[in-house]
Amino acid sequence: MSNPGGGAPQKTPSITLNSGAKIPQLGLGVWQATNDETERAVGFALGEAGYRHIDTAAAYGNEEGVGRGLAASGVPREDVFLTTKLWNADQGYESAFSAFDASLDKLAVDYVDLYLIHWPLQDRDRLLRTWEALEEIAASGRARSIGVCNFEPHHLRLLADRGGTMPAVDQVELHPHLAQHEIRSTAAELGVAVESWSPLGGTSNAGWGEHSKPNTLLTDPCIGAIASRHGKSPAQVLIRWHLQNGLIVIPKSAHPERIAQNIDVFDFDLTDIDLAEIGTLNDGVRVGLHPDEMNLAAPD
Ligand SMILES: NC(=O)c1ccc[n+]([C@@H]2O[C@H](COP(=O)([O-])OP(=O)(O)OC[C@H]3O[C@@H](n4cnc5c(N)ncnc54)[C@H](OP(=O)(O)O)[C@@H]3O)[C@@H](O)[C@H]2O)c1
């Protein structure tokens, strides 16, 4: 990939999805950033820090900021892997097409690299009609790959049993406290790549409303000790844990120094001992909501 923005050389490895597309294994998440913050973060990440993968969603309300940041970065569209998501209020066959068109307009692009269902609906018929629309959007070439978020193994098996296109990606809450081994093994069996959200342990703010929990990973003594051994930060250790586990990872930051730090992770490796120590943190504690317990923003 070229790097006309003049930033750090692109060293991020890629994973080949079941669609044949290649996704950079590390990208920038932009949840809870305003349009202006997102424009600055995306412009810096692409233009100066060497990122080539951005993760947004219609529900984040900042697709316009992503589009402006992409344009300002000077990086060619074809060099950037761009993901957005369909919000639950727009689930359904016809509504999915309209929502997709609205996202392309806001992003000011004529295709996305990955279009995801943001959250599974408990209404299985409607969920399957949404997926049918995404299959048609993919066939039109306007989404190079399609996928899902927050799908449990039973949701993935629902699509496998139906036949047709399998999701290229399942983006789920995943970090050392929630290692999601069952989702990872089902996804591996079905050829679905797994992408980690809240990879640093989440945002420590009101993102989940009354359910919000403090981030305990960035201040965890085990992560801190490993970071000291490597002369790296806790965030860098956490990002390496995702990379070395073969996961796609999309840490969010709105601050240039952290955006740069979070991609400066290709000059060290966690040892087997480090990985085993981090493995002991898997206590199942979530930052967000369990997909089977929350029918988020389901349409009437
Ligand atoms: N599909 C879904 O349902 C879903 C749900 C949640 C998230 N996501 C996606 O996943 C992305 C990442 O998850 P997330 O935003 O929940 O949480 P995260 O990436 O685990 O953590 C982000 C938090 O860590 C801070 N941070 C970032 N880099 C840091 C560093 N080097 N040192 C110290 N603090 C640092 C950020 O603060 P500053 O911004 O102030 O630097 C922010 O508060 C989202 O942005 C979104 O794209 C998807």
Side-chain angles (χ1 to χ4, degrees):
M1 289 184 190
S2 62
N3 186 21
Q10 173 58 267
K11 291 180 266 182
T12 306
S14 290
I15 286 182
T16 302
L17 302 174
N18 63 15
S19 59
K22 287 186 191 306
I23 183 170
Q25 206 183 341
L26 171 62
L28 177 75
V30 296
W31 184 37
Q32 298 180 97
T34 64
N35 268 304
D36 287 347
E37 286 169 341
T38 301
E39 177 181 353
R40 287 193 292 273
V42 169
F44 176 80
L46 296 176
E48 297 182 55
Y51 286 71
R52 291 295 179 269
H53 171 184
I54 306 294
D55 182 89
T56 185
Y60 302 167
N62 56 23
E63 290 173 309
E64 287 170 357
V66 170
R68 295 202 303 259
L70 172 62
S73 73
V75 176
R77 168 70 189 92
E78 62 272 20
D79 284 357
V80 179
F81 192 101
L82 183 55
T83 299
T84 195
K85 313 185 188 89
L86 173 90
W87 187 229
N88 265 4
D90 294 315
Q91 287 227 27
Y93 182 79
E94 296 293 346
S95 46
F97 288 103
S98 321
F100 181 72
D101 288 343
S103 283
L104 286 191
D105 281 351
K106 287 183 177 156
L107 290 162
V109 295
D110 54 14
Y111 72 93
V112 293
D113 294 275
L114 181 62
Y115 194 45
L116 301 175
I117 294 180
H118 206 144
W119 198 270
L121 276 186
Q122 284 164 16
D123 177 345
R124 297 299 168 85
D125 291 339
R126 191 165 194 138
L127 182 62
L128 290 175
R129 286 199 300 280
T130 306
W131 187 246
E132 193 182 332
L134 263 63
E135 287 182 317
E136 289 185 30
I137 289 168
S140 76
R142 296 190 305 152
R144 299 279 161 91
S145 303
I146 53 174
V148 295
C149 303
N150 303 299
F151 269 37
E152 292 291 307
H154 66 89
H155 297 112
L156 293 175
R157 295 209 184 277
L158 178 75
L159 292 184
D161 292 346
R162 167 188 175 268
T165 309
M166 278 305 285
V169 161
D170 188 8
Q171 185 183 110
V172 295
E173 180 179 346
L174 204 161
H175 43 70
H177 281 307
L178 189 70
Q180 299 275 30
H181 289 301
E182 199 189 339
I183 290 179
R184 283 157 69 186
S185 65
T186 306
E189 175 196 328
L190 298 175
V192 178
V194 176
E195 186 168 6
S196 306
W197 65 250
S198 288
L200 307 179
T203 54
S204 294
N205 59 24
W208 292 103
E210 61 186 278
H211 305 278
S212 287
K213 299 191 185 83
N215 183 319
T216 56
L217 273 175
L218 286 170
T219 53
D220 185 279
C222 162
I223 303 293
I226 295 169
S228 298
R229 291 208 286 273
H230 289 278
K232 290 286 182 177
S233 73
Q236 290 170 316
V237 166
L238 290 165
I239 292 165
R240 279 255 28 121
W241 178 84
H242 292 274
L243 295 172
Q244 288 182 226
N245 275 287
L247 300 159
I248 302 158
V249 58
I250 45 170
K252 176 261 173 183
S253 178
H255 295 98
E257 68 283 4
R258 289 178 174 174
I259 292 171
Q261 179 194 120
N262 292 348
I263 199 172
D264 181 19
V265 290
F266 296 106
D267 59 352
F268 77 111
D269 284 304
L270 297 177
T271 64
D272 289 346
I273 292 171
D274 298 332
L275 293 168
E277 284 179 11
I278 298 172
T280 65
L281 300 178
N282 183 25
D283 56 10
V285 173
R286 287 175 188 272
V287 176
L289 307 171
H290 194 297
D292 283 335
E293 290 165 9
M294 195 54 78
N295 204 21
L296 275 182
D300 298 330

